[in-house]
Amino acid sequence: MTSPDTPARYGTVTRFLHWGIALCLAWMFGTAITHVLAEKSALDAFFWPTHKHFGSLLMVLVSVRVIWALLNARQRPPALNPLARLGHLAMYGLMFAIPLIGLLRQFGSGRAFAPLGLPLFAGFDEGEKIGWMVDLGGLLHGELGWALLALVCGHVAMALWHRRSPQYDVMPRMAG
Ligand code: HEM
Ligand code: HEM
């Protein structure tokens, strides 16, 4: 049975999306950190080839989450304060923009791309890259990725910090 979102707690679908995407992002950051700290190691050789494929799958999940959040906006628990609200909005924006910019760069590179075996871009002549798409990715994709990681760390720290007081403990809204 699924439960809906209410002003007191998040429902089953929202929780599934929150924790499922958190797991996928943990994988994504695992691949990126390994790539930076241990490039060309056996672990990197295993992790890194999954980055684009998993990231593309995440783009789909995040799109579903954004639509779901908009549909349920009126019946969700209110944010504890304006900063928490801003933080949640920023995480939404980054979760969407990062894979989108990654995919734009992939398209602009002119190379064929089939995430998880599904043909997405056929590719075009290697000599004719779309400069702005490739440059946008080079400029922002990784940087925004690290910014999201920093926000997530702050988010988790605040969620745990608020556990100290029953009045501000928001964990039961999303877990248990
Ligand atoms: C939410 C999903 C994603 C996250 C959180 C993410 C995160 C990151 C991070 C943090 C880096 C920087 C690694 C470094 O500093 O070397 C990176 C690099 C990279 N990502 Fe992603 N990524 C995502 C999705 C994608 C997608 C969908 C693609 C392509 C289809 C992609 C392609 C790349 C490539 C080619 C690099 C290496 C070049 C660079 O540093 O910009 N990523 N990603
Ligand atoms: C990649 C990881 C994560 C991201 C991107 C993320 C993002 C979000 C977002 C956007 C919300 C607002 C509700 C929604 O629309 O879903 C939220 C709520 C929440 N998250 Fe996370 N989250 C992550 C991981 C975690 C973890 C690991 C914890 C536990 C320590 C956690 C605890 C919570 C709690 C308790 C709420 C409810 C907050 C409230 O209603 O004030 N999150 N999260």
Side-chain angles (χ1 to χ4, degrees):
M1 291 301 283
T2 58
S3 62
D5 286 348
T6 69
R9 61 204 294 279
Y10 294 98
T12 323
V13 175
T14 304
R15 287 168 181 229
F16 172 80
L17 288 168
H18 176 269
W19 295 112
I21 289 175
L23 269 182
C24 292
L25 277 174
W27 181 277
M28 293 304 292
F29 288 125
T31 64
I33 291 169
T34 313
H35 194 59
V36 171
L37 296 182
E39 200 184 348
K40 299 198 173 82
S41 65
L43 201 61
D44 186 50
F46 170 73
F47 263 151
W48 188 245
T50 68
H51 184 91
K52 289 182 185 179
H53 296 265
F54 241 76
S56 307
L57 172 72
L58 248 184
M59 177 86 229
V60 178
L61 274 181
V62 170
S63 305
V64 171
R65 184 171 177 183
V66 169
I67 295 168
W68 184 252
L70 289 173
L71 289 175
N72 289 278
R74 284 166 190 274
Q75 60 208 43
R76 287 192 158 188
L80 272 187
N81 54 51
L83 205 62
R85 186 171 165 68
L86 199 69
H88 292 162
L89 281 175
M91 284 193 286
Y92 265 109
L94 289 174
M95 277 191 286
F96 192 75
I98 294 163
L100 180 67
I101 292 173
L103 282 166
L104 275 178
R105 172 171 54 193
Q106 183 67 36
F107 179 77
S109 75
R111 290 191 302 269
F113 183 47
L116 302 164
L118 292 167
L120 185 62
F121 310 138
F124 44 87
D125 187 4
E126 279 285 331
E128 300 214 8
K129 287 183 181 173
I130 303 176
W132 72 266
M133 288 188 180
V134 177
D135 292 347
L136 185 76
L139 200 66
L140 288 180
H141 178 77
E143 278 64 17
L144 293 183
W146 297 125
L148 176 61
L149 179 60
L151 269 181
V152 166
C153 290
H155 170 68
V156 173
M158 289 317 288
L160 296 178
W161 176 259
H162 282 135
R163 299 233 70 190
R164 291 152 44 99
S165 125
Q167 193 191 346
Y168 294 112
D169 184 10
V170 284
M171 201 61 89
R173 292 174 168 189
M174 194 53 99

